[in-house]
Amino acid sequence: ERGGTLMDVRTDGDIADSFWWRRTTLTRRTPLYDACVSVGLLVAATIVGALLDHPGLAPSIMIVYVFAVQLCAFFTWSRLYCLLSSAAAVALYNFLFVDPRYSLSLIDRGYPGMFFIMFVVSLVSSSIALALRRALAQAAASDRRTHMVLETNRMLQRCADQQQIVHAMATQLARLSGCPVVWYSADAEGDDLLPRATYTAVGDAAPVHELAPQMPPRLSASAYVGTPLDATFGGSAFYGIYLTVRTGDGFVRSGDPASVVGVLAIVAEPDVLTHEERTLADAIVSEGELALDRARAMEAREEAAVLAKNEQLRANLLRSIGHDLRTPLTAISGSAAILRKSDEKLSLEQRCDLADAIYDDSLWLIDTVENLLAITRVEDGTIRLNLTSELIDEVIEAALSHVAQASHGRAVTIEHTDDILLVRIDVHLIMQVLTNLIMNAFKYTPEDSTVTISARREGEFIVVDVADDGPGVADCDKPHIFERFFTSSNTRPVDSRRSIGLGLSLCRSIVEAHGGVIEVRDNHPHGAVFRFTLPAEEIEIHE
């Protein structure tokens, strides 16, 4: 465990498991370790040679020392230790196992040549072993760097927003260093970068004070550079590796605070990463910067698409309102002009008909404006539901009283039940739903039709039906009947000016805001049934 986080964090295909390479690279900076390894191997070779010190086994002892020199090259990084261990192996073999014992003097003239050959073989073989080990370490480093960059790229491609991208970058840096990583991002005001969260190798995000309380409370974006630094804040030194995350347009000056998106601070001494690991950390940040740029570009395109859609809706609304409101306004102004100029020439019945026409058109205009305002508030989220517990039968009767004058001979019946149907609703909005549905039934049925309103309980919901025996809704219209600006193909010519396609859309928005659903079905033998549900309110009985 290092820096408070577990190093053994493993996933399939994660090259971060290659900690052997990391350990061997770290030992390059400790000469004492290399010296101890060399001495230990030579001591072990001497012990093995003492066990093999029998007549006829002298060549075996020589091979043991050569093997010890090769192991020394494998576990150390400097050629100096290969040279010294080779010379020491020859000297120890001569001193301990060649007659005269415990002396470096030579009796046999063939010994110098043998010792020279032993020295050359030990030095060459250890040099080859060291070269192979260095090549292996470089290959492992390159493979580790490639795999981690690819893994980071795959993680970033799966990120849906900027927060997930930062999470992926910080997690990879924590895996690389084995230390927590703190994310600093820009403040709303000024160029201060404030700590937002701390990430570890397992990918979790925690408050800064839990894992990295020693980190600075803020950084200055205007004075920041993307190299390891020792920053001082309030008289206290904060050590770490600070990596700047910038915009990726390629034309931003490094001193421009607007270019700094944030800073990833590795909570560790600046020398905890090797040069290769620091290069890898920079590559991870570069991949993250590209992903952030892509995310920002995607968000910009989505915003542009939303603006274009809103503009199209606005154009459709203006076009519909301009066409559909002009006719009733023209009728109102024409009827008013006739009453004003020809009042004495008209009979009482004619004047009443003109007044009724003006009244009906004005009511339709008022209802249309109310629907426009209501649907805007509901879909923009600016409306607040004023919920109260109400009897659904009373709400139905209240809504029916508002539209009774518009029935024009149509029969309206309410089917009551013996159950107490209590709902928690915004009375004004649900009355508007009922009013729109009843007026819609009036609009699309002949004058001798019957409109039936009923309510019942089904499980945890109250189901309300507004049924008529008119021509019904065509099957091709049912999937779109609750869409904004949609009008049914069954609209009667005389009433074709009476709809701009907002009433049913408003009903759906209000019902869904209450947690219910609305749908249209066929009424048998003919007609349509508009059904919506509302959550039932439980009745508490106190004994």
Side-chain angles (χ1 to χ4, degrees), residues 14-34:
D14 187 0
I15 199 62
D17 294 340
S18 303
F19 293 117
W20 173 84
W21 176 81
R22 177 173 171 79
R23 288 197 298 269
T24 55
T25 56
L26 290 176
T27 58
R28 294 182 61 183
R29 298 190 293 267
T30 55
L32 180 61
Y33 171 84
D34 291 344

Side-chain angles (χ1 to χ4, degrees), residues 349-363:
E349 183 179 358
Q350 291 174 329
R351 289 196 299 269
C352 289
D353 290 340
L354 290 174
D356 290 339
I358 294 174
Y359 178 76
D360 291 340
D361 287 331
S362 63
L363 285 181

Side-chain angles (χ1 to χ4, degrees), residues 71-371:
L71 290 179
C72 181
F74 187 78
F75 287 104
T76 61
W77 281 93
S78 175
R79 293 184 181 274
L80 176 63
Y81 290 97
C82 295
L83 177 62
L84 294 177
S85 61
S86 299
V90 173
L92 287 173
Y93 177 72
N94 181 24
F95 185 78
L96 296 175
F97 301 104
V98 176
D99 294 328
R101 301 294 180 96
Y102 313 113
S103 173
L104 296 177
S105 60
L106 302 175
I107 298 177
D108 193 337
R109 293 182 178 181
Y111 282 164
M114 182 183 65
F115 291 156
F116 177 75
I117 293 174
M118 178 182 175
F119 175 76
V120 171
V121 170
S122 301
L123 182 61
V124 172
S125 61
S126 62
S127 299
I128 293 174
L130 179 60
L132 291 176
R133 186 187 173 207
R134 287 182 173 177
L136 178 63
Q138 292 176 356
S142 177
D143 186 61
R144 181 171 185 257
R145 182 167 56 252
T146 301
H147 279 74
M148 182 163 278
V149 170
L150 290 176
E151 181 187 6
T152 303
N153 186 267
R154 288 194 298 267
M155 293 174 62
L156 294 174
Q157 288 179 352
R158 292 193 297 265
C159 294
D161 53 32
Q162 299 187 36
Q163 183 177 359
Q164 294 181 6
I165 293 173
V166 172
H167 188 282
M169 283 194 298
T171 300
Q172 290 296 84
L173 291 175
R175 289 182 181 181
L176 177 66
S177 64
C179 302
V181 176
V182 180
W183 168 245
Y184 290 81
S185 60
D187 192 10
E189 299 179 358
D191 65 340
D192 287 340
L193 303 176
L194 303 179
R196 305 300 182 182
T198 302
Y199 299 88
T200 61
V202 295
D204 57 343
V208 177
H209 65 274
E210 291 186 6
L211 294 177
Q214 70 273 27
M215 295 305 292
R218 60 173 43 86
L219 297 174
S220 177
S222 59
Y224 206 76
V225 292
T227 56
L229 58 90
D230 298 332
T232 301
F233 299 88
S236 300
F238 299 91
Y239 297 98
I241 301 175
Y242 296 78
L243 302 169
T244 309
V245 181
R246 303 179 185 276
T247 55
D249 54 14
F251 301 99
V252 181
R253 296 185 300 273
S254 59
D256 186 2
S259 67
V260 178
V261 178
V263 171
L264 289 166
I266 302 176
V267 187
E269 296 291 337
D271 60 349
V272 71
L273 297 181
T274 64
H275 176 73
E276 294 288 341
E277 290 172 330
R278 180 53 197 270
T279 302
L280 182 55
D282 292 336
I284 291 174
V285 173
S286 297
E287 289 288 331
E289 289 175 342
L290 294 177
L292 287 172
D293 287 336
R294 288 195 298 268
R296 282 194 290 269
M298 183 64 68
E299 291 176 358
R301 286 196 295 269
E302 290 177 355
E303 292 178 359
V306 170
L307 291 176
K309 182 178 180 180
N310 291 339
E311 185 63 28
Q312 183 65 33
L313 290 175
R314 186 180 298 108
N316 291 340
L317 177 62
L318 293 176
R319 185 164 50 251
S320 298
I321 291 178
H323 174 75
D324 293 315
L325 298 189
R326 179 173 55 191
T327 302
L329 288 174
T330 302
I332 290 174
S333 61
S335 299
I338 293 174
L339 286 175
R340 180 181 177 184
K341 296 180 180 180
S342 307
D343 182 62
E344 297 179 354
K345 300 178 181 179
L346 299 175
S347 64
L348 178 60
E349 183 179 358
Q350 291 174 329
R351 289 196 299 269
C352 289
D353 290 340
L354 290 174
D356 290 339
I358 294 174
Y359 178 76
D360 291 340
D361 287 331
S362 63
L363 285 181
W364 185 84
L365 290 173
I366 292 173
D367 291 339
T368 300
V369 173
E370 287 291 335
N371 287 338

Side-chain angles (χ1 to χ4, degrees), residues 296-464:
R296 282 194 290 269
M298 183 64 68
E299 291 176 358
R301 286 196 295 269
E302 290 177 355
E303 292 178 359
V306 170
L307 291 176
K309 182 178 180 180
N310 291 339
E311 185 63 28
Q312 183 65 33
L313 290 175
R314 186 180 298 108
N316 291 340
L317 177 62
L318 293 176
R319 185 164 50 251
S320 298
I321 291 178
H323 174 75
D324 293 315
L325 298 189
R326 179 173 55 191
T327 302
L329 288 174
T330 302
I332 290 174
S333 61
S335 299
I338 293 174
L339 286 175
R340 180 181 177 184
K341 296 180 180 180
S342 307
D343 182 62
E344 297 179 354
K345 300 178 181 179
L346 299 175
S347 64
L348 178 60
E349 183 179 358
Q350 291 174 329
R351 289 196 299 269
C352 289
D353 290 340
L354 290 174
D356 290 339
I358 294 174
Y359 178 76
D360 291 340
D361 287 331
S362 63
L363 285 181
W364 185 84
L365 290 173
I366 292 173
D367 291 339
T368 300
V369 173
E370 287 291 335
N371 287 338
L372 285 172
L373 295 177
I375 198 170
T376 302
R377 292 196 302 268
V378 170
E379 296 193 356
D380 289 349
T382 58
I383 194 170
R384 295 294 180 267
L385 299 180
N386 183 21
L387 300 177
T388 57
S389 298
E390 303 289 341
L391 290 172
I392 191 63
D393 289 341
E394 295 181 355
V395 178
I396 294 174
E397 292 177 356
L400 189 57
S401 65
H402 285 76
V403 297
Q405 295 183 355
S407 62
H408 297 295
R410 297 173 182 84
V412 180
T413 60
I414 301 177
E415 294 182 355
H416 296 281
T417 63
D418 296 333
D419 298 331
I420 299 177
L421 305 179
L422 193 65
V423 290
R424 188 167 180 80
I425 57 174
D426 187 312
V427 178
H428 176 73
L429 293 179
I430 297 302
M431 284 184 60
Q432 192 164 5
V433 171
L434 289 167
T435 299
N436 285 343
L437 294 179
I438 296 172
M439 291 298 295
N440 189 73
F442 292 165
K443 186 186 307 180
Y444 293 102
T445 58
E447 294 185 356
D448 58 349
S449 300
T450 300
V451 178
T452 304
I453 307 171
S454 62
R456 64 185 182 280
R457 177 159 185 165
E458 292 185 0
E460 299 180 354
F461 291 90
I462 302 298
V463 180
V464 181

